[in-house]
Amino acid sequence: MALVNVHFLNLQNNYLFADIAKKVNAYKVTHPKVDVISLGIGDVTQPLCPAVIEAMHRAADEMATREGFRGYGPEQGYDFLREAILKNDFLPRGVRLDIDEIFINDGAKSDTGNFQELLHWDDHIGMTDPVYPVYIDSNVMIGRCGSHKEDGGWSNVTYMPTTAENGFVPEIPSGRPLDIIYLCYPNNPTGTVITKAELRKWVNYALKNDALILYDAAYEAYIQDPDIPHSIYEIRGARKCAVEFHSFSKTAGFTGIRCGYTVVPKELTLSDFDGNRISANQLWLRRQCTKFNGTSYISQRAAEAIYSPEGKKQVKAVIDYYMENARLMLTTLRSLGYEVYGGENAPYIWMKTPGGKGSWQFFEEMLYTAGVVCTPGVGFGPSGEGYVRLTAFGTRENTEEALRRIKEKL
Ligand SMILES: *Cc1c(COP(=O)(O)O)cnc(C)c1O
């Protein structure tokens, strides 16, 4: 008998964005004349930049020749891309990594989920709340989260609320020590960032408690403030306690191309029951070689092109475009009296619902009166109740039109 992995049955049925889509589609059917604008899902809208497209064309042409054809590539990724990453994303910030510490992936979502395979099922997890739902669901799948509670949380997860009240700074929990800590900065969904001093507290906590930090830096390219860390390895000691996930999805519009990378330092070790230290880098390499056959050559050449002089300029221009949307949203919404956060070093605006309304109630109000789609904050965790998320990934025209409607109709 093929018994099912019962942990999958604990997953909460409706995926947030499926719920939203259902409501939006129902509204579109009954209001066919309204041009609904989505500031909901975190997907980009601007096309790939010319340097990337040229690199992809070249790579495709190479594949068409006997000499240039490539079959299976290295599971960890091609050296040309790993070297470009070391040279451009880390060296300028004073972080020296070895090429074997970089693992090219097909996007950060898979690896933030996959990495927890290396960890004992009974490890205790802590995460900020609200949070990117993938961290929770991928752990539910192997039974690490315990049971689902009425407030939307899980019994074996320590939630560290980040709200306007605490300035979106997660507090180190005083209860049961954490074994695994998920941090995402700049944050999705709140759009807020962490200072070096605050991040240092987490690194020190992890070192002291022999905990592992899974650090998601998918939005680091959006950081504008020079004092905000782009990588956890800017903090001393982090190589001993942290894995870092990067993605070209938001950096360079790769949501449909699929490429990112994971950093697993050689100094990072995990413990077995006898206290032996096991190299996380070796385990991850073994795992990848068994279950992953690499990211496509064309995607990796595309990613490499981001680091060329033209590529850098073009990618920055697109990021500036989205950040101008964010600036417009922040200033307009503030001038209308809304309480808004984030949006200065991240493409997300985290908006407090006016009058203490629930997230879903305000979501419906925005949809039904202004024809604008946002994401209900409570979908990201219990502490997201009373907020909605707006993304700056729209086109300028749609962003301006959405703001006009919010101003006139809400
Ligand atoms: C978009 C996003 C990612 C990137 O996912 P990809 O699989 O690389 O497209 C990772 N983490 C967070 C928090 C995100 O919002």
Side-chain angles (χ1 to χ4, degrees):
M1 194 172 8
L3 289 173
V4 70
N5 173 353
V6 290
H7 301 308
F8 272 67
L9 310 182
N10 287 332
L11 288 167
Q12 294 308 291
N13 267 339
N14 281 319
Y15 184 53
L16 173 64
F17 292 103
D19 275 358
I20 294 171
K22 219 185 289 166
K23 285 188 196 260
V24 172
N25 288 335
Y27 178 77
K28 280 183 177 166
V29 168
T30 48
H31 302 78
K33 290 209 185 95
V34 181
D35 176 23
V36 174
I37 297 177
S38 176
L39 300 180
I41 288 191
D43 198 356
V44 295
T45 53
Q46 297 303 296
L48 293 168
C49 68
V52 166
I53 291 297
E54 284 155 24
M56 290 177 81
H57 280 304
R58 272 197 308 274
D61 286 341
E62 265 181 76
M63 290 290 237
T65 66
R66 202 172 291 281
E67 307 73 45
F69 173 76
R70 315 259 180 149
Y72 290 126
E75 288 88 349
Q76 316 89 295
Y78 285 103
D79 282 357
F80 62 76
L81 178 55
R82 298 160 93 200
E83 267 159 20
I85 288 167
L86 292 181
K87 225 169 71 194
N88 292 282
D89 287 352
F90 294 100
L91 265 188
R93 300 184 207 293
V95 178
R96 277 179 187 281
L97 291 171
D98 193 88
I99 198 162
D100 296 332
E101 299 178 308
I102 306 284
F103 295 83
I104 307 301
N105 61 32
D106 61 356
K109 185 192 203 175
S110 348
D111 275 4
T112 54
N114 292 339
F115 202 82
Q116 46 94 18
E117 271 181 35
L118 265 51
L119 304 160
H120 186 61
W121 72 273
D122 204 17
D123 281 351
H124 187 58
I125 330 172
M127 31 190 118
T128 55
D129 168 29
V131 74
Y132 182 52
V134 176
Y135 310 152
I136 292 274
D137 284 358
S138 58
N139 280 288
V140 169
M141 287 175 178
I142 75 153
R144 195 178 281 123
C145 292
S147 51
H148 194 245
K149 298 188 298 181
E150 252 174 42
D151 69 355
W154 293 83
S155 61
N156 271 355
V157 177
T158 293
Y159 289 88
M160 301 162 314
T162 57
T163 59
E165 285 68 42
N166 65 12
F168 298 96
V169 178
E171 207 174 304
I172 292 189
S174 50
R176 182 175 163 192
L178 306 176
D179 304 310
I180 309 169
I181 302 153
Y182 282 88
L183 294 176
C184 172
Y185 288 101
N187 190 258
N188 176 12
T190 65
T192 57
V193 288
I194 194 163
T195 62
K196 276 188 185 163
E198 285 298 329
L199 189 52
R200 193 169 294 122
K201 286 186 195 166
W202 284 103
V203 170
N204 289 342
Y205 173 88
L207 292 172
K208 194 164 150 229
N209 293 278
D210 201 4
L212 170 68
I213 298 175
L214 298 175
Y215 195 77
D216 187 341
Y219 295 93
E220 62 82 19
Y222 287 83
I223 294 173
Q224 312 285 315
D225 180 341
D227 292 332
I228 297 295
H230 286 245
S231 163
I232 194 168
Y233 304 117
E234 292 177 48
I235 309 295
R236 192 191 296 270
R239 293 159 189 268
K240 285 197 168 69
C241 64
V243 167
E244 185 165 279
F245 304 98
H246 285 252
S247 168
F248 299 112
S249 286
K250 318 301 164 37
T251 305
F254 273 43
T255 51
I257 301 292
R258 311 308 305 146
C259 193
Y261 64 92
T262 298
V263 185
V264 189
K266 290 177 182 167
E267 287 175 51
L268 176 67
T269 56
L270 302 166
S271 188
D272 71 6
F273 280 116
D274 300 322
N276 299 311
R277 305 304 304 193
I278 318 293
S279 161
N281 180 284
Q282 285 303 306
L283 284 190
W284 184 244
L285 177 63
R286 187 70 176 81
R287 189 263 175 214
Q288 288 300 82
C289 290
T290 301
K291 291 199 176 181
F292 186 56
N293 251 339
T295 306
S296 88
Y297 175 66
I298 296 177
S299 295
Q300 292 190 63
R301 282 293 184 199
E304 181 195 24
I306 294 167
Y307 297 110
S308 70
E310 316 79 59
K312 278 184 191 169
K313 257 186 257 154
Q314 293 164 3
V315 163
K316 183 174 180 300
V318 177
I319 289 174
D320 289 348
Y321 175 92
Y322 292 135
M323 289 311 284
E324 174 61 14
N325 284 347
R327 196 193 60 78
L328 282 173
M329 291 160 87
L330 281 181
T331 49
T332 309
L333 293 169
R334 278 200 181 121
S335 75
L336 294 173
Y338 291 105
E339 228 180 282
V340 283
Y341 302 94
E344 283 164 3
N345 294 288
Y348 294 117
I349 310 282
W350 191 239
M351 177 175 178
K352 200 153 176 76
T353 59
K357 284 177 192 148
S359 293
W360 278 106
Q361 188 192 347
F362 189 63
F363 162 88
E364 288 180 359
E365 210 174 295
M366 200 181 265
L367 175 62
Y368 300 157
T369 59
V372 175
V373 180
C374 60
T375 311
V378 70
F380 298 101
S383 296
E385 181 57 290
Y387 294 87
V388 296
R389 188 192 73 176
L390 298 170
T391 90
F393 283 133
T395 61
R396 180 68 38 76
E397 301 72 42
N398 277 349
T399 304
E400 285 173 343
E401 173 62 16
L403 290 171
R404 200 169 311 130
R405 289 192 205 164
I406 289 171
K407 185 172 180 174
E408 284 167 12
K409 303 195 170 161
L410 258 187

